[in-house]
Amino acid sequence: MSSTSSSRIDLRDHVQDQDLSEEYLSSSSRDYSAGSSPLTTPALSDEEFDFDVPSEDALLAPTQAPADGSEKYIMVIGGLGYIGSHTTLELLREGHNVIVVDNLSNSYKTVLKNVRMLAAHHCKVNSVPMPRLRFFRIDYRSKAMHVLLERYSNLVMTVDATSGKQVVSYQSRIAGVIHFAAYKSVVESIQQPLRYYRNNVCGLVNLLQELERFNIRNFIFSSSATVYGSKANAGLPLKEEDLIHHQVKTQNEAGETTIVEPTIEGLSCPYARTKYFGEAILADVAEADPDWRIVALRYFNPVGCDPSGVLGESPRGEPTNLFPVLTQVLKGDRSNLNVFGSDWPTRDGTAIRDFIHVLDVARGHIAALNWNSKKGNGFSTFNLGSGTGTTVLEAVRSLEQAAGREIPLALVDRRPGDVGMCVASTERAAKELGWSTRESITKCAADLWNYVSKVALRS
Ligand code: UD1
């Protein structure tokens, strides 16, 4: 049974950029086959993005059957950002239909075009149909999100087992949601804590409520190794059980039960706390309602980009992370890299991080989605890291090798809030998700340099 309830929410109220408004407002040839009728949500378009110039690959990729209202989608919120765009691309390459929700606050419209082009190329080469890719430029916190979720839902009638009464509920065509849309600058979070809490925490709570309304309970959350706080400084690979949200009962070798209480240590900034609170909220939600299947993926240091050199990391503001700063130096936009701290207790005095190729991170999301659908149960956490520690200087050297030139450095004081070492234990992800990294730091550097050289050629 299809929804016939009417909605008063108009997406036009939420479109922020006139330049893009036609993506929502044009109403020709809509697919109203399921969910809601043209009368219920007149302004909502799920048209594929209209490209100025369709690529040859997009035209030649085998096409799929027309939509009949039964297709399943993965919704990627923040799907055009750095990790989001690579994950969207991998999902398409793996044959998933994708709905991208992004307000372009830290990404660009051209990213969608590039993702689609790369996916179409993959489909053409492998003679497989191109999955559906829908794009909605909306803020996931706006009321437009409700309209969008309704649009992808059917109303179904079931009989309540206890009362025998007929119950009407939503059945969504969105099989899972990956949520990337959070702010991630440590420095900014210290200057604007409320903005960070409003988006990363309040936004998450509202989103979960909205998803519950539509019976979508398969959720992947972008977390970060930052939740381990100063536990990272113990000098050991970080295990997921180093940060838990509820009591855990374990048995020691003698068979005695011990209870491990949740503890946190040295969360260094509001950004870190938003990720910690996000996880804690998700753990509570899953505890209260066992139908939820939630995975928090704790990223270590995602770097690199798709080997095509077409997708990369291009934050809108001033970059503060190591590789984006190095990119600026290579492009000539910055004279040198300031190395924050050369007195850490490490092999060359610079801090150690676990750099992981962004495509490995993207594949980690697909592994988590698959796992969640088959074995997911309540709230689970997984590290996405390589397990290998690389110093800042070693990372710089790998990029110098890829670029074939020296990167000017200045050794300066430690950055407030930094930890000396942060490396993942990879056991749980390997054992449970069957996922581990494929790429090395050398490959990360080579792909990044490929991207930088292509950007230089384009501009
Ligand atoms: C930080 C956050 C992490 C967050 C990530 C993405 C902490 C401890 N870490 O990671 O949670 O997910 O940002 O925003 O809060 N470096 C330089 N010069 C630079 C830039 C960086 O030497 O110009 C050094 C840093 O001091 C650090 C290493 O490079 O030792 C990596 O820095 P960065 O890329 O910012 O990532 P993290 O600090 O590890």
Side-chain angles (χ1 to χ4, degrees):
M1 179 173 134
S2 288
S3 164
T4 52
S5 65
S6 71
S7 165
R8 299 228 175 95
I9 299 164
D10 190 323
L11 273 188
R12 274 171 285 212
D13 298 340
H14 306 283
V15 172
Q16 299 153 357
D17 182 342
Q18 285 305 311
D19 178 35
L20 289 165
S21 58
E22 73 228 33
E23 286 160 37
Y24 309 104
L25 304 181
S26 65
S27 59
S28 61
S29 65
R30 296 287 173 271
D31 157 25
Y32 292 113
S33 48
S36 49
S37 73
L39 292 177
T40 62
T41 54
L44 182 57
S45 152
D46 67 346
E47 280 296 278
E48 279 177 286
F49 195 91
D50 232 0
F51 299 107
D52 302 333
V53 187
S55 75
E56 195 188 320
D57 285 338
L59 293 174
L60 294 178
T63 48
Q64 62 210 220
D68 67 2
S70 63
E71 314 74 35
K72 294 282 183 199
Y73 292 83
I74 301 300
M75 177 177 272
V76 186
I77 304 174
L80 296 187
Y82 172 49
I83 305 178
S85 59
H86 284 87
T87 303
T88 299
L89 175 59
E90 279 307 293
L91 283 163
L92 293 167
R93 283 174 174 159
E94 292 283 322
H96 295 277
N97 298 319
V98 179
I99 298 169
V100 169
V101 170
D102 200 304
N103 66 358
L104 300 187
S105 61
N106 196 27
S107 56
Y108 299 87
K109 197 175 162 184
T110 47
V111 173
L112 184 72
K113 179 178 156 194
N114 291 336
V115 166
R116 189 175 190 275
M117 178 191 65
L118 292 171
H121 176 74
H122 171 91
C123 293
K124 188 187 102 179
V125 169
N126 292 284
S127 303
V128 290
M130 171 75 181
R132 286 164 221 286
L133 172 61
R134 311 278 195 229
F135 171 59
F136 296 91
R137 182 178 180 249
I138 52 180
D139 189 315
Y140 79 98
R141 297 169 291 174
S142 73
K143 287 178 182 162
M145 194 65 180
H146 180 92
V147 183
L148 180 57
L149 292 171
E150 190 176 50
R151 178 84 176 78
Y152 282 87
S153 293
N154 300 336
L155 280 175
V156 291
M157 192 93 78
T158 50
V159 177
D160 185 87
T162 341
S163 66
K165 283 187 183 161
Q166 288 190 323
V167 187
V168 177
S169 59
Y170 282 112
Q171 191 176 63
S172 182
R173 288 185 281 147
I174 296 164
V177 173
I178 307 179
H179 178 42
F180 290 106
Y183 299 141
K184 63 162 195 171
S185 160
V186 169
V187 176
E188 216 176 55
S189 79
I190 295 167
Q191 294 158 348
Q192 305 169 34
L194 292 179
R195 186 166 159 255
Y196 269 66
Y197 287 120
R198 200 168 60 230
N199 187 20
N200 296 10
V201 181
C202 303
L204 173 68
V205 171
N206 292 338
L207 173 65
L208 294 172
Q209 273 188 319
E210 205 57 77
L211 295 180
E212 262 192 350
R213 223 165 262 157
F214 289 94
N215 284 314
I216 303 169
R217 290 187 174 80
N218 184 359
F219 192 73
I220 311 289
F221 177 66
S222 289
S223 189
S224 162
T226 195
V227 296
Y228 293 114
S230 52
K231 289 182 182 185
N233 278 330
L236 296 169
L238 290 152
K239 294 184 174 169
E240 288 84 349
E241 52 267 37
D242 290 335
L243 194 268
I244 53 173
H245 297 283
H246 294 149
Q247 253 185 13
V248 173
K249 283 186 187 150
T250 53
Q251 287 215 321
N252 64 17
E253 282 160 11
E256 294 157 346
T257 302
T258 49
I259 293 175
V260 185
E261 298 287 351
T263 55
I264 48 170
E265 234 172 67
L267 295 184
S268 61
C269 61
Y271 162 74
R273 278 184 279 280
T274 67
K275 288 294 161 188
Y276 170 77
F277 292 148
E279 281 200 10
I281 288 164
L282 291 165
D284 289 343
V285 165
E287 177 91 354
D289 177 353
D291 284 346
W292 274 99
R293 282 162 294 147
I294 301 174
V295 170
L297 295 175
R298 295 174 178 166
Y299 311 149
F300 280 67
N301 289 67
V303 294
C305 51
D306 188 77
S308 62
V310 172
L311 283 186
E313 183 170 15
S314 37
R316 279 190 186 265
E318 190 62 23
T320 55
N321 292 121
L322 181 61
F323 272 64
V325 170
L326 284 168
T327 303
Q328 284 200 321
V329 178
L330 286 173
K331 281 163 63 185
D333 296 342
R334 199 186 273 241
S335 59
N336 67 279
L337 171 81
N338 286 329
V339 176
F340 298 135
S342 48
D343 57 350
W344 293 104
T346 63
R347 45 189 176 266
D348 62 19
T350 62
I352 288 182
R353 290 291 182 275
D354 184 335
F355 296 101
I356 166 175
H357 197 290
V358 69
L359 276 184
D360 278 325
V361 176
R363 291 180 200 119
H365 287 79
I366 296 172
L369 265 180
N370 292 339
W371 180 86
N372 221 11
S373 307
K374 290 181 202 135
K375 299 187 200 161
N377 176 21
F379 174 75
S380 312
T381 55
F382 294 100
N383 287 339
L384 291 187
S386 68
T388 304
T390 303
T391 68
V392 170
L393 283 184
E394 287 163 354
V396 172
R397 300 286 170 250
S398 61
L399 204 48
E400 284 181 332
Q401 270 187 347
R405 64 166 132 124
E406 225 171 88
I407 295 174
L409 302 176
L411 302 182
V412 300
D413 285 346
R414 291 181 184 183
R415 187 171 63 176
D418 263 354
V419 292
M421 177 172 162
C422 190
V423 177
S425 157
T426 56
E427 256 170 63
R428 186 185 286 183
K431 196 168 151 212
E432 301 274 334
L433 302 181
W435 171 91
S436 55
T437 54
R438 293 185 200 164
E439 314 296 359
S440 61
I441 181 79
T442 313
K443 173 78 171 138
C444 295
D447 287 342
L448 179 67
W449 172 240
N450 183 35
Y451 170 72
V452 172
S453 4
K454 288 207 169 136
V455 169
L457 279 180
R458 281 195 292 266
S459 55

